[in-house]
């Protein structure tokens, strides 16, 4: 009975140690910048969806969320072709 209780205690201890290491996040080195910095959100001129500046596609008439929306907008908009 003592051996069984000892084995259960060892198993619980190992389980807690293993689970505790998974929950920890690695600490960044001092002075390190975050991986991604906040970006201004822009609105697609065709559908109105908001997207980060780095993902927006510039075109005539504004920025767009996809190549398809840029093409449709530029073909339907009267302007200088």
């Amino acid at each position: 009975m003592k051996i069984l209780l000892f084995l259960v205690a060892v198993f619980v201890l190992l389980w807690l140690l293993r689970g505790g290491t998974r929950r920890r996040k690695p600490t960044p080195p001092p002075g390190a910048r975050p991986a991604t910095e906040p970006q201004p959100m822009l609105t697609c001129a065709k559908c109105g969806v908001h997207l980060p500046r780095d993902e927006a596609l510039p075109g005539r008439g504004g920025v767009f969320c996809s190549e398809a929306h840029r093409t449709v907008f530029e073909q339907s908009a009267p302007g200088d072709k």
Side-chain angles (χ1 to χ4, degrees):
M1 184 69 180
K2 292 179 189 178
I3 294 175
L4 182 61
L5 185 60
F6 177 76
L7 289 176
V8 169
V10 169
F11 176 77
V12 169
L13 180 64
L14 290 175
W15 181 72
L16 288 174
L17 289 175
R18 194 176 116 227
T21 59
R22 287 185 183 171
R23 289 186 206 114
R24 289 187 198 150
K25 293 182 181 179
T27 57
R33 298 175 67 183
T36 58
E37 293 184 11
Q39 298 178 14
M41 299 296 283
L42 304 176
T43 304
C44 176
K46 175 75 175 146
C47 66
V49 73
H50 292 86
L51 63 156
R53 181 184 59 210
D54 286 353
E55 295 178 22
L57 300 173
R60 285 186 295 138
V63 294
F64 301 89
C65 62
S66 67
E67 183 67 36
H69 279 186
R70 178 168 59 183
T71 303
V72 169
F73 183 87
E74 289 178 352
Q75 288 175 350
S76 66
D80 48 357
K81 284 191 175 183

Coordinates of all heavy atoms in Angstrom, one line a residue:
M1 N 0.8 -1.2 0.0 CA 0.0 0.0 0.0 C 0.9 1.3 0.0 O 0.5 2.2 -0.7 CB -0.9 0.0 1.2 CG -1.9 1.1 1.3 SD -3.1 0.9 0.0 CE -4.1 2.3 0.3
K2 N 2.0 1.2 0.8 CA 2.9 2.4 0.8 C 3.5 2.6 -0.6 O 3.6 3.8 -1.0 CB 4.0 2.1 1.8 CG 3.6 2.1 3.2 CD 4.8 1.8 4.1 CE 4.4 1.5 5.5 NZ 5.5 1.2 6.4
I3 N 3.8 1.6 -1.3 CA 4.4 1.7 -2.6 C 3.4 2.3 -3.6 O 3.8 3.2 -4.4 CB 4.9 0.4 -3.1 CG1 6.1 -0.1 -2.2 CG2 5.4 0.5 -4.6 CD1 6.6 -1.5 -2.6
L4 N 2.2 1.9 -3.5 CA 1.1 2.5 -4.4 C 0.9 4.0 -4.1 O 0.9 4.8 -5.0 CB -0.2 1.7 -4.2 CG -1.3 2.2 -5.1 CD1 -1.0 2.0 -6.5 CD2 -2.6 1.4 -4.7
L5 N 0.9 4.3 -2.8 CA 0.7 5.7 -2.5 C 2.0 6.6 -2.9 O 1.8 7.7 -3.4 CB 0.5 5.9 -1.0 CG 0.3 7.3 -0.4 CD1 -1.0 7.8 -1.0 CD2 0.1 7.2 1.1
F6 N 3.1 6.0 -2.8 CA 4.4 6.7 -3.2 C 4.3 6.9 -4.7 O 4.7 7.9 -5.2 CB 5.6 5.9 -2.8 CG 6.9 6.4 -3.3 CD1 7.4 7.6 -2.7 CD2 7.5 5.9 -4.4 CE1 8.6 8.1 -3.1 CE2 8.7 6.4 -4.8 CZ 9.3 7.5 -4.2
L7 N 3.9 5.9 -5.5 CA 3.9 6.0 -7.0 C 2.9 7.0 -7.4 O 3.1 7.8 -8.3 CB 3.6 4.6 -7.6 CG 4.7 3.6 -7.5 CD1 4.2 2.2 -8.1 CD2 5.9 4.1 -8.2
V8 N 1.7 7.0 -6.7 CA 0.7 8.1 -7.1 C 1.3 9.5 -6.8 O 1.1 10.4 -7.6 CB -0.6 7.8 -6.3 CG1 -1.6 9.0 -6.4 CG2 -1.2 6.5 -6.8
A9 N 1.9 9.6 -5.7 CA 2.5 10.9 -5.3 C 3.6 11.4 -6.4 O 3.6 12.5 -6.8 CB 3.1 10.9 -3.9
V10 N 4.4 10.4 -6.8 CA 5.4 10.8 -7.8 C 4.7 11.1 -9.1 O 5.1 12.1 -9.8 CB 6.4 9.6 -8.0 CG1 7.3 9.7 -9.2 CG2 7.2 9.4 -6.7
F11 N 3.7 10.4 -9.5 CA 3.0 10.6 -10.8 C 2.4 12.0 -10.7 O 2.5 12.8 -11.7 CB 1.9 9.6 -11.0 CG 1.1 9.8 -12.2 CD1 1.6 9.5 -13.5 CD2 -0.2 10.3 -12.1 CE1 0.8 9.8 -14.6 CE2 -1.0 10.6 -13.2 CZ -0.5 10.3 -14.4
V12 N 1.7 12.4 -9.6 CA 1.1 13.7 -9.5 C 2.1 14.8 -9.6 O 2.0 15.8 -10.2 CB 0.3 13.8 -8.2 CG1 -0.2 15.2 -7.9 CG2 -0.9 12.8 -8.3
L13 N 3.3 14.6 -8.9 CA 4.3 15.6 -8.9 C 4.9 15.8 -10.3 O 5.0 16.9 -10.8 CB 5.5 15.2 -8.0 CG 6.7 16.1 -7.9 CD1 6.2 17.4 -7.3 CD2 7.8 15.5 -7.1
L14 N 5.1 14.7 -11.1 CA 5.6 14.8 -12.4 C 4.6 15.5 -13.3 O 4.9 16.3 -14.2 CB 6.0 13.4 -13.0 CG 7.2 12.8 -12.4 CD1 7.4 11.4 -12.9 CD2 8.4 13.6 -12.6
W15 N 3.3 15.2 -13.1 CA 2.2 15.7 -13.9 C 2.1 17.3 -13.7 O 2.0 18.0 -14.6 CB 0.9 15.1 -13.6 CG -0.3 15.6 -14.4 CD1 -0.5 15.4 -15.7 CD2 -1.3 16.4 -13.9 NE1 -1.7 16.0 -16.0 CE2 -2.2 16.7 -14.9 CE3 -1.6 17.0 -12.6 CZ2 -3.3 17.4 -14.8 CZ3 -2.7 17.7 -12.5 CH2 -3.6 18.0 -13.5
L16 N 2.3 17.7 -12.4 CA 2.2 19.1 -12.1 C 3.4 19.8 -12.7 O 3.3 20.9 -13.2 CB 2.2 19.3 -10.6 CG 0.8 19.0 -9.9 CD1 0.9 19.1 -8.4 CD2 -0.3 19.9 -10.5
L17 N 4.6 19.2 -12.6 CA 5.8 19.9 -13.2 C 5.7 20.0 -14.7 O 6.1 21.0 -15.2 CB 7.0 19.1 -12.8 CG 7.4 19.2 -11.3 CD1 8.6 18.3 -11.0 CD2 7.8 20.6 -10.9
R18 N 5.2 19.0 -15.3 CA 5.1 19.0 -16.8 C 4.1 20.0 -17.2 O 4.3 20.7 -18.2 CB 4.8 17.6 -17.3 CG 5.0 17.5 -18.8 CD 4.7 16.1 -19.3 NE 3.6 16.2 -20.1 CZ 2.5 15.4 -20.1 NH1 2.4 14.4 -19.3 NH2 1.5 15.6 -21.0
G19 N 3.0 20.1 -16.5 CA 1.9 21.0 -16.9 C 2.3 22.5 -16.6 O 1.9 23.4 -17.3
G20 N 3.1 22.7 -15.6 CA 3.5 24.0 -15.2 C 4.5 24.6 -16.2 O 4.4 25.8 -16.5
T21 N 5.3 23.8 -16.9 CA 6.2 24.3 -17.9 C 5.5 24.7 -19.1 O 5.9 25.6 -19.9 CB 7.3 23.3 -18.2 OG1 6.7 22.1 -18.7 CG2 8.2 23.0 -17.0
R22 N 4.4 24.1 -19.4 CA 3.6 24.5 -20.6 C 2.9 25.8 -20.5 O 2.7 26.5 -21.5 CB 2.6 23.4 -20.9 CG 3.2 22.1 -21.4 CD 2.1 21.1 -21.8 NE 2.7 19.9 -22.3 CZ 2.0 18.8 -22.5 NH1 0.7 18.8 -22.3 NH2 2.6 17.7 -22.9
R23 N 2.5 26.2 -19.3 CA 1.8 27.4 -19.1 C 2.7 28.6 -19.1 O 2.2 29.7 -19.3 CB 1.0 27.3 -17.8 CG -0.1 26.3 -17.8 CD -0.9 26.4 -16.5 NE -1.6 25.1 -16.3 CZ -1.3 24.3 -15.3 NH1 -0.4 24.6 -14.4 NH2 -1.9 23.1 -15.3
R24 N 3.9 28.5 -18.9 CA 4.8 29.6 -18.8 C 5.1 30.1 -20.2 O 5.3 29.4 -21.2 CB 6.2 29.2 -18.2 CG 6.0 29.0 -16.7 CD 7.4 28.8 -16.1 NE 7.3 28.2 -14.8 CZ 8.2 27.4 -14.3 NH1 9.3 27.1 -15.0 NH2 8.0 26.8 -13.1
K25 N 5.1 31.5 -20.4 CA 5.5 32.1 -21.6 C 7.0 32.5 -21.5 O 7.4 33.0 -20.5 CB 4.7 33.3 -21.9 CG 3.2 33.0 -22.1 CD 2.5 34.2 -22.4 CE 1.0 33.9 -22.7 NZ 0.2 35.1 -22.9
P26 N 7.7 32.3 -22.6 CA 9.1 32.8 -22.5 C 9.2 34.3 -22.3 O 8.5 35.0 -23.0 CB 9.7 32.3 -23.8 CG 8.5 32.1 -24.7 CD 7.4 31.8 -23.9
T27 N 10.1 34.7 -21.5 CA 10.2 36.2 -21.2 C 11.1 36.8 -22.3 O 12.2 36.2 -22.6 CB 10.8 36.4 -19.8 OG1 12.0 35.8 -19.7 CG2 9.8 36.0 -18.8
P28 N 10.7 37.9 -22.9 CA 11.6 38.5 -23.9 C 12.8 39.1 -23.3 O 12.7 39.5 -22.1 CB 10.6 39.5 -24.6 CG 9.6 39.8 -23.5 CD 9.5 38.5 -22.8
P29 N 13.9 39.2 -24.0 CA 15.0 39.9 -23.4 C 14.7 41.4 -23.1 O 13.9 42.0 -23.8 CB 16.1 39.8 -24.5 CG 15.4 39.3 -25.7 CD 14.1 38.8 -25.3
P30 N 15.4 42.0 -22.2 CA 15.1 43.4 -21.8 C 15.4 44.3 -23.0 O 16.3 44.1 -23.8 CB 16.1 43.7 -20.7 CG 16.7 42.4 -20.3 CD 16.4 41.4 -21.3
G31 N 14.4 45.2 -23.2 CA 14.6 46.2 -24.3 C 14.1 45.6 -25.7 O 14.2 46.3 -26.7
A32 N 13.5 44.4 -25.7 CA 13.1 43.8 -27.0 C 11.7 44.4 -27.3 O 10.9 44.7 -26.5 CB 12.9 42.3 -26.8
R33 N 11.5 44.6 -28.6 CA 10.3 45.2 -29.1 C 9.3 44.1 -29.3 O 9.7 42.9 -29.6 CB 10.5 46.0 -30.4 CG 11.5 47.1 -30.2 CD 11.8 47.8 -31.4 NE 10.6 48.5 -32.0 CZ 10.6 49.1 -33.2 NH1 11.7 49.2 -33.9 NH2 9.5 49.7 -33.6
P34 N 8.0 44.4 -29.3 CA 7.0 43.3 -29.6 C 7.1 42.8 -31.0 O 7.6 43.6 -31.9 CB 5.7 44.0 -29.3 CG 5.9 45.4 -29.0 CD 7.4 45.6 -28.9
A35 N 6.7 41.6 -31.2 CA 6.8 41.0 -32.6 C 6.0 41.8 -33.6 O 6.5 42.0 -34.7 CB 6.4 39.6 -32.6
T36 N 4.8 42.2 -33.3 CA 4.0 43.0 -34.2 C 3.6 44.3 -33.4 O 3.1 44.2 -32.3 CB 2.8 42.2 -34.7 OG1 2.0 41.8 -33.5 CG2 3.2 41.0 -35.5
E37 N 3.7 45.4 -34.1 CA 3.2 46.6 -33.5 C 1.9 47.0 -34.1 O 1.5 46.6 -35.2 CB 4.2 47.7 -33.8 CG 5.6 47.5 -33.2 CD 6.5 48.7 -33.4 OE1 6.1 49.7 -33.9 OE2 7.7 48.5 -33.1
P38 N 1.1 47.7 -33.3 CA -0.3 48.0 -33.8 C -0.1 48.9 -35.1 O 0.8 49.7 -35.2 CB -0.9 48.9 -32.7 CG -0.1 48.6 -31.5 CD 1.3 48.1 -32.0
Q39 N -1.1 48.6 -36.0 CA -1.1 49.4 -37.3 C -2.4 50.1 -37.5 O -3.4 49.6 -36.9 CB -0.9 48.4 -38.5 CG 0.4 47.6 -38.5 CD 0.4 46.7 -39.6 OE1 -0.4 46.8 -40.6 NE2 1.4 45.8 -39.6
P40 N -2.4 51.2 -38.2 CA -3.6 51.8 -38.5 C -4.5 50.9 -39.3 O -4.0 50.2 -40.2 CB -3.3 53.1 -39.2 CG -1.8 53.1 -39.4 CD -1.2 51.9 -38.8
M41 N -5.8 51.0 -39.1 CA -6.8 50.2 -39.8 C -7.3 51.1 -41.0 O -7.7 52.2 -40.8 CB -7.9 49.7 -38.9 CG -7.5 48.8 -37.8 SD -6.8 47.3 -38.4 CE -8.2 46.4 -38.8
L42 N -7.4 50.5 -42.2 CA -7.9 51.2 -43.3 C -9.2 50.5 -43.8 O -9.4 49.3 -43.5 CB -6.9 51.2 -44.4 CG -5.5 51.8 -44.1 CD1 -4.6 51.6 -45.3 CD2 -5.7 53.2 -43.7
T43 N -10.0 51.2 -44.5 CA -11.3 50.7 -45.0 C -11.2 50.4 -46.5 O -10.8 51.3 -47.3 CB -12.4 51.7 -44.7 OG1 -12.4 51.9 -43.3 CG2 -13.8 51.1 -45.1
C44 N -11.7 49.3 -46.9 CA -11.7 48.9 -48.3 C -12.7 49.9 -49.0 O -13.9 50.0 -48.6 CB -12.2 47.5 -48.5 SG -12.4 47.0 -50.3
A45 N -12.3 50.4 -50.2 CA -13.2 51.4 -50.9 C -14.4 50.7 -51.5 O -15.4 51.3 -51.8 CB -12.4 52.1 -51.9
K46 N -14.3 49.4 -51.7 CA -15.4 48.6 -52.4 C -16.4 48.1 -51.4 O -17.6 48.3 -51.5 CB -14.8 47.5 -53.2 CG -15.8 46.6 -53.9 CD -16.4 47.2 -55.0 CE -17.3 46.2 -55.7 NZ -18.5 46.8 -56.3
C47 N -15.9 47.3 -50.4 CA -16.9 46.6 -49.5 C -16.9 47.2 -48.1 O -17.8 46.9 -47.3 CB -16.5 45.1 -49.4 SG -14.9 44.8 -48.7
G48 N -16.0 48.1 -47.7 CA -16.0 48.7 -46.4 C -15.4 47.9 -45.3 O -15.4 48.3 -44.1
V49 N -14.8 46.7 -45.6 CA -14.1 45.9 -44.5 C -12.9 46.7 -44.0 O -12.2 47.3 -44.8 CB -13.8 44.5 -45.1 CG1 -12.6 44.5 -46.0 CG2 -13.5 43.6 -43.9
H50 N -12.6 46.5 -42.8 CA -11.4 47.1 -42.2 C -10.3 46.1 -42.2 O -10.5 45.0 -41.8 CB -11.7 47.6 -40.7 CG -12.7 48.7 -40.7 ND1 -14.0 48.5 -40.7 CD2 -12.5 50.1 -40.6 CE1 -14.6 49.7 -40.6 NE2 -13.7 50.7 -40.6
L51 N -9.1 46.6 -42.5 CA -7.9 45.7 -42.6 C -6.7 46.5 -42.2 O -6.6 47.8 -42.4 CB -7.8 45.1 -43.9 CG -7.5 46.0 -45.1 CD1 -6.8 45.2 -46.2 CD2 -8.8 46.5 -45.7
P52 N -5.6 45.9 -41.7 CA -4.4 46.6 -41.4 C -3.7 47.2 -42.6 O -3.9 46.7 -43.7 CB -3.5 45.5 -40.8 CG -4.4 44.3 -40.5 CD -5.5 44.4 -41.4
R53 N -3.0 48.3 -42.4 CA -2.3 49.0 -43.4 C -1.4 48.1 -44.3 O -1.4 48.2 -45.5 CB -1.5 50.2 -42.9 CG -0.9 51.0 -43.9 CD 0.0 52.1 -43.3 NE 1.0 51.5 -42.5 CZ 1.6 52.1 -41.4 NH1 1.2 53.2 -41.1 NH2 2.5 51.4 -40.7
D54 N -0.7 47.2 -43.6 CA 0.2 46.3 -44.4 C -0.5 45.4 -45.3 O 0.1 44.9 -46.3 CB 1.1 45.5 -43.4 CG 2.2 46.4 -42.8 OD1 2.3 47.6 -43.2 OD2 2.8 45.9 -41.9
E55 N -1.8 45.1 -45.1 CA -2.5 44.1 -45.9 C -3.3 44.8 -47.0 O -3.9 44.1 -47.9 CB -3.4 43.2 -45.1 CG -2.6 42.3 -44.1 CD -3.6 41.5 -43.2 OE1 -4.7 41.3 -43.6 OE2 -3.1 41.1 -42.2
A56 N -3.4 46.1 -47.0 CA -4.3 46.9 -47.9 C -3.5 47.0 -49.2 O -2.3 47.2 -49.3 CB -4.6 48.2 -47.4
L57 N -4.3 46.9 -50.3 CA -3.8 47.1 -51.7 C -4.2 48.5 -52.2 O -5.3 48.8 -52.3 CB -4.3 46.0 -52.6 CG -4.1 44.6 -52.3 CD1 -4.9 43.7 -53.2 CD2 -2.6 44.3 -52.3
P58 N -3.2 49.3 -52.5 CA -3.5 50.7 -53.0 C -4.0 50.6 -54.4 O -3.7 49.7 -55.2 CB -2.2 51.4 -52.9 CG -1.1 50.4 -53.0 CD -1.8 49.1 -52.4
G59 N -4.9 51.6 -54.8 CA -5.4 51.6 -56.1 C -6.0 53.0 -56.4 O -6.0 53.8 -55.5
R60 N -6.5 53.2 -57.6 CA -7.2 54.5 -57.9 C -8.5 54.5 -57.1 O -9.3 53.6 -57.1 CB -7.6 54.6 -59.4 CG -6.4 54.9 -60.2 CD -6.7 55.2 -61.6 NE -7.3 53.9 -62.2 CZ -8.3 53.9 -63.0 NH1 -9.0 54.9 -63.3 NH2 -8.7 52.7 -63.5
G61 N -8.7 55.5 -56.3 CA -9.9 55.6 -55.5 C -9.8 55.2 -54.1 O -10.8 55.2 -53.4
G62 N -8.6 54.7 -53.6 CA -8.5 54.3 -52.3 C -7.7 53.0 -52.1 O -6.9 52.7 -53.0
V63 N -7.9 52.4 -51.0 CA -7.3 51.1 -50.7 C -8.3 50.0 -50.7 O -9.5 50.2 -50.5 CB -6.5 51.1 -49.4 CG1 -5.3 52.1 -49.4 CG2 -7.4 51.4 -48.2
F64 N -7.9 48.7 -51.0 CA -8.8 47.6 -51.2 C -8.3 46.4 -50.4 O -7.1 46.3 -50.2 CB -8.9 47.3 -52.7 CG -9.4 48.5 -53.5 CD1 -8.5 49.4 -54.0 CD2 -10.7 48.7 -53.7 CE1 -8.9 50.5 -54.8 CE2 -11.2 49.8 -54.4 CZ -10.3 50.7 -54.9
C65 N -9.2 45.5 -50.1 CA -8.9 44.3 -49.4 C -8.4 43.2 -50.2 O -7.8 42.3 -49.7 CB -10.1 43.9 -48.6 SG -11.6 43.4 -49.6
S66 N -8.7 43.3 -51.6 CA -8.3 42.2 -52.5 C -8.1 42.7 -53.8 O -8.6 43.8 -54.2 CB -9.3 41.1 -52.5 OG -10.5 41.5 -53.1
E67 N -7.4 42.0 -54.7 CA -7.1 42.4 -56.0 C -8.4 42.4 -56.8 O -8.6 43.3 -57.7 CB -6.2 41.4 -56.7 CG -5.8 41.7 -58.1 CD -5.0 43.0 -58.2 OE1 -4.1 43.2 -57.4 OE2 -5.2 43.7 -59.2
A68 N -9.4 41.5 -56.5 CA -10.6 41.5 -57.2 C -11.4 42.7 -56.9 O -12.0 43.3 -57.9 CB -11.4 40.2 -56.7
H69 N -11.5 43.2 -55.7 CA -12.2 44.4 -55.4 C -11.6 45.6 -56.0 O -12.3 46.5 -56.5 CB -12.3 44.6 -53.9 CG -13.4 43.8 -53.2 ND1 -13.7 43.9 -51.9 CD2 -14.2 42.8 -53.7 CE1 -14.7 43.1 -51.6 NE2 -15.0 42.4 -52.7
R70 N -10.3 45.7 -56.1 CA -9.6 46.8 -56.7 C -9.9 46.8 -58.2 O -10.3 47.9 -58.8 CB -8.1 46.7 -56.5 CG -7.3 47.8 -57.3 CD -5.9 47.9 -56.9 NE -5.1 46.7 -57.1 CZ -3.9 46.5 -56.8 NH1 -3.2 47.5 -56.2 NH2 -3.2 45.4 -57.1
T71 N -9.9 45.7 -58.9 CA -10.2 45.6 -60.3 C -11.6 46.0 -60.6 O -11.9 46.8 -61.5 CB -10.0 44.1 -60.8 OG1 -8.6 43.8 -60.5 CG2 -10.2 44.0 -62.3
V72 N -12.6 45.5 -59.8 CA -14.0 45.8 -60.0 C -14.2 47.3 -59.8 O -14.9 47.9 -60.6 CB -14.9 44.9 -59.1 CG1 -16.3 45.4 -59.1 CG2 -14.9 43.5 -59.5
F73 N -13.7 47.8 -58.8 CA -13.9 49.2 -58.5 C -13.3 50.1 -59.6 O -13.9 51.1 -60.0 CB -13.2 49.6 -57.1 CG -13.5 51.0 -56.7 CD1 -14.6 51.4 -56.0 CD2 -12.5 52.0 -57.0 CE1 -14.8 52.7 -55.6 CE2 -12.8 53.3 -56.6 CZ -13.9 53.7 -55.9
E74 N -12.1 49.8 -60.1 CA -11.4 50.6 -61.1 C -12.1 50.5 -62.4 O -12.1 51.4 -63.2 CB -10.0 50.3 -61.2 CG -9.2 50.8 -59.9 CD -7.7 50.4 -60.0 OE1 -7.3 49.6 -60.9 OE2 -7.0 50.9 -59.1
Q75 N -12.7 49.3 -62.7 CA -13.4 49.2 -64.0 C -14.8 49.9 -64.0 O -15.2 50.4 -65.0 CB -13.6 47.7 -64.3 CG -12.4 47.0 -64.7 CD -12.6 45.5 -64.9 OE1 -13.6 45.0 -64.6 NE2 -11.5 44.9 -65.5
S76 N -15.4 49.9 -62.8 CA -16.8 50.5 -62.7 C -16.7 52.0 -62.5 O -17.7 52.7 -62.8 CB -17.6 49.8 -61.7 OG -17.0 50.1 -60.4
A77 N -15.6 52.5 -61.9 CA -15.5 53.9 -61.6 C -15.2 54.7 -62.8 O -14.2 54.4 -63.5 CB -14.5 54.2 -60.5
P78 N -16.0 55.8 -63.1 CA -15.6 56.6 -64.3 C -14.3 57.4 -63.9 O -14.2 57.8 -62.7 CB -16.8 57.5 -64.4 CG -17.4 57.6 -63.1 CD -17.2 56.2 -62.5
G79 N -13.5 57.6 -64.8 CA -12.3 58.3 -64.5 C -11.3 58.3 -65.6 O -11.6 58.1 -66.7
D80 N -10.1 58.6 -65.3 CA -9.0 58.8 -66.2 C -8.4 57.4 -66.6 O -7.6 56.9 -65.8 CB -8.0 59.8 -65.7 CG -7.5 59.5 -64.3 OD1 -8.1 58.5 -63.7 OD2 -6.7 60.2 -63.8
K81 N -8.7 56.9 -67.7 CA -8.1 55.6 -68.1 C -7.2 55.9 -69.3 O -7.3 56.7 -70.1 CB -9.2 54.6 -68.6 CG -9.9 54.0 -67.4 CD -10.7 52.9 -67.8 CE -11.3 52.2 -66.6 NZ -12.1 51.0 -67.0

